[in-house]
Amino acid sequence: MPLSDDQPHTRTRLPVGEQPSSQPSQRQSHPVRTALTVLLVVALLVLAISIANRGRPDPGSAKPGGSADRAAATPASGAGPAPSGDQPVTTTVNGIATGFPHTDQGAQSAASNYAVAIGSADMFRTDTRHTIITTIADPTAAPTLQSRLDQGFSPEMAAKFGVDAQGRAPKGMTFVSRTVPVGTKSSAYTAESVKVAVWCTGLFGIAGERSVRPVSEEWFTLTLSLRWVGDDWKLTDYSRVSGPAPVPPDQQAATAEEITGAVEQFGGFRYAR
């Protein structure tokens, strides 16, 4: 039962000016704190929605090949080329993608896939090298390209990579030669011909415990000259320059077993702009 005011020495009442002010101020701070919290949550929601909408395709681009697709594929002045969303081709010849669209982007896709073939371990074997050239080259340019590449992949050059004249690694080891396109750009495009520069990174070397040429990374740019022949883009000439190379990361190198396992387990891709 609460005590009344007329019972002395049981409760002390201070004057109004001397009443403790901590509790009222705490009660007054709650609405301010709640309002700030609400504003923060709303701001975060707006930011999240903005980021999500940025990744959504424009409704007009839902149909492949539509005008919105072509507009999106055209970079703004000073901007790099953006992926078009076009799907890789589904047809292959001798394991190499073929049947590319008769467009600038189709030529860039062809160049990317041809760069992968040219940078593969199959180029170190005479029979598979000739098959690759026959598949990707303009028939009128194929003899010249084949002769040039036969000289380039000479037994002396193969020895520098640690393999024999037919691209075979020492017993118990694995030869790695894999090219990965990072980006493409075209120049001098016409309906008949185009030049495409393919910026690439590559893995080259011998994976094995006793390897004296461990697998290492390299950056280079392949420039491929293509011609529209029949119903596909075909290679007529190529050149190669080093770089541009980024700063190497401070990352621990994989063991020989890990590299061998990765090469055997991870397949390559077909590329499209």
Side-chain angles (χ1 to χ4, degrees):
M1 179 176 178
L3 297 177
S4 61
D5 290 342
D6 58 353
Q7 291 178 298
H9 309 294
T10 57
R11 174 181 295 182
T12 302
R13 288 186 177 273
L14 297 175
V16 174
E18 300 181 19
Q19 292 288 342
S21 58
S22 59
Q23 291 183 354
S25 63
Q26 289 177 355
R27 287 194 298 269
Q28 291 172 3
S29 66
H30 289 323
V32 175
R33 189 179 306 167
T34 301
L36 290 175
T37 302
V38 171
L39 287 175
L40 178 60
V41 171
V42 171
L44 291 174
L45 286 174
V46 171
L47 179 61
I49 292 172
S50 174
I51 293 173
N53 286 337
R54 237 179 255 173
R56 291 183 182 175
D58 185 80
S61 65
K63 184 178 179 181
S67 59
D69 276 345
R70 291 190 292 272
T74 303
S77 177
S84 67
D86 291 345
Q87 294 299 313
V89 296
T90 58
T91 54
T92 62
V93 174
N94 297 318
I96 302 172
T98 58
F100 296 95
H102 193 183
T103 62
D104 187 6
Q105 291 187 359
Q108 293 182 54
S109 297
S112 297
N113 286 277
Y114 295 168
V116 172
I118 293 173
S120 69
D122 288 337
M123 290 293 289
F124 286 80
R125 297 192 296 273
T126 303
D127 56 346
T128 52
R129 179 170 64 249
H130 291 178
T131 298
I132 290 173
I133 298 306
T134 301
T135 303
I136 70 176
D138 178 348
T140 62
T144 300
L145 288 172
Q146 182 170 300
S147 175
R148 179 180 168 190
L149 287 165
D150 283 345
Q151 294 177 7
F153 287 88
S154 64
E156 292 76 18
M157 192 276 289
K160 293 180 180 179
F161 280 84
V163 296
D164 64 16
Q166 292 304 311
R168 291 184 292 260
K171 185 176 181 181
M173 299 188 184
T174 302
F175 175 50
V176 179
S177 179
R178 183 175 293 193
T179 295
V180 181
V182 177
T184 62
K185 66 175 181 178
S186 64
S187 60
Y189 173 81
T190 69
E192 291 76 31
S193 63
V194 64
K195 282 189 175 182
V196 181
V198 186
W199 182 30
C200 305
T201 183
L203 302 176
F204 305 98
I206 302 292
E209 290 184 0
R210 300 179 306 279
S211 173
V212 296
R213 296 175 180 82
V215 178
S216 60
E217 181 184 30
E218 184 179 3
W219 289 83
F220 54 94
T221 299
L222 288 173
T223 299
L224 309 181
S225 296
L226 304 178
R227 180 183 299 154
W228 185 256
V229 179
D231 58 357
D232 207 354
W233 291 106
K234 295 296 182 179
L235 179 69
T236 61
D237 198 6
Y238 76 95
S239 62
R240 182 186 190 277
V241 296
S242 297
V247 176
D250 183 12
Q251 186 175 8
Q252 183 177 355
T255 64
E257 291 78 7
E258 290 172 334
I259 289 293
T260 300
V263 170
E264 294 174 347
Q265 297 171 24
F266 291 88
F269 297 96
R270 295 178 193 165
Y271 293 85
R273 286 291 300 139

